[in-house]
Amino acid sequence: MHVNAIRAVGLFVGAAVLAVVVGWLCGAEKGAQLSIALVVCAGILVYLFGNSLALRAMRARPVSEIERPELYRIVRELATAARQPMPKLYLSPVRSPNAFATGSTPRRAALCCTTGLLRTLDERELRGVLAHELAHIRSNDTLISAVAATLTTLITALTAISFLIPLGDSEETDLPNLLGGLMVALLAPLAAVVIYFGVGRAREFRADEKAAELTGDPIGLADALRKLETGNRAYPLPRERVLLATSHLMTTNPFPDTIGRLFSAHPPVQERIRRLYALRRKWDLG
């Protein structure tokens, strides 16, 4: 938990320094001042909306135990076995099968499932996916993921407005403005990729292993991952900026195309499945 908190702070500071440097290169003092203002706004947005950004993007709503008693039963059993607080449960009206968790601390955590997930998986497979997300919550992966999602949303938004903001002295020449806009437009996707790598792909392997230990069934999660990949190809999410920025929160990459792979923070599903089967064989031999 403490390591992820330090990584989250480091991620934000690194993105802030990058923004100020780019602002200075594009518009000297005025550009740096604008970048500092954006960094302050980013900090406010991370604090206020970091936990709910993905929920808003997926149009998720709180779901009651009366509405989904099976879901509550499974999550409660897993959370009790893991000795962690019961997260708030949300439901997203999306056909693409997936799930994600968010929240700055385990006590403020939320776990969201799509309707496609509940329709696609049987209980054994669903337990594996829910245990995977609970593992992210317990490891506090959701904190750094929330920071990364908010920062990446802001950075990718700059690509749409970079040519509209005069970062230089437009009365003297238009060339610095054009070069500044080009630099921001080129560096923003690069910075977004750096942020995603800051989240780290190894966390998915760790969450898979913790989920398998919690359920005692690595094959159930492996079968679920296979179905999720197939479902994501059949029903991909729209390539909206906010959804791209929050895709690393999902159990599997919801964007199977080229652009989605560029922004993905997930290891290949086949590698995750291979490791889960290897874990099963290790347990059987032990």
Side-chain angles (χ1 to χ4, degrees), residues 45 48-61 90-94 99-103 110-114 133 142 145-150 153 196 237 240-250:
L45 289 175
L48 294 178
F49 304 111
N51 293 341
S52 61
L53 183 64
L55 295 173
R56 293 171 183 267
M58 294 291 286
R59 305 191 308 278
R61 62 175 179 83
Y90 286 77
L91 188 65
S92 170
V94 174
F100 64 91
T102 185
L111 196 162
C112 179
C113 300
T114 67
E133 295 306 322
T142 50
S145 296
V147 173
T150 307
T153 301
Y196 276 110
L237 294 179
E240 299 174 359
R241 294 180 188 275
V242 178
L243 291 176
L244 281 169
T246 56
S247 62
H248 64 280
L249 293 167
M250 308 293 177

Side-chain angles (χ1 to χ4, degrees), residues 1 84-87 103-110 137-140 142:
M1 182 179 297
Q84 65 187 92
M86 174 82 176
S104 56
T105 66
R107 294 193 178 278
R108 297 181 59 191
I137 293 173
R138 185 169 187 176
S139 300
N140 223 38
T142 50

Side-chain angles (χ1 to χ4, degrees), residues 124-125 212 216-224 226 273 276-278 280:
R124 178 191 180 194
E125 296 159 346
D217 184 15
I219 307 306
L221 178 56
D223 292 342
R226 191 176 292 109
I273 292 174
L276 287 168
Y277 271 87
R280 176 76 269 178

Side-chain angles (χ1 to χ4, degrees), residues 12 31 41 55 61 70 72-73 78 93 107 135 140 155 179 183 188 194-195 227-228 240 263 277:
F12 184 85
C41 290
L55 295 173
R61 62 175 179 83
E70 330 82 26
Y72 267 81
R73 175 180 59 81
L78 292 172
R107 294 193 178 278
N140 223 38
I155 291 174
L179 291 177
M183 286 185 68
V194 171
I195 287 177
K227 286 187 178 181
L228 262 60
E240 299 174 359
F263 283 88
Y277 271 87

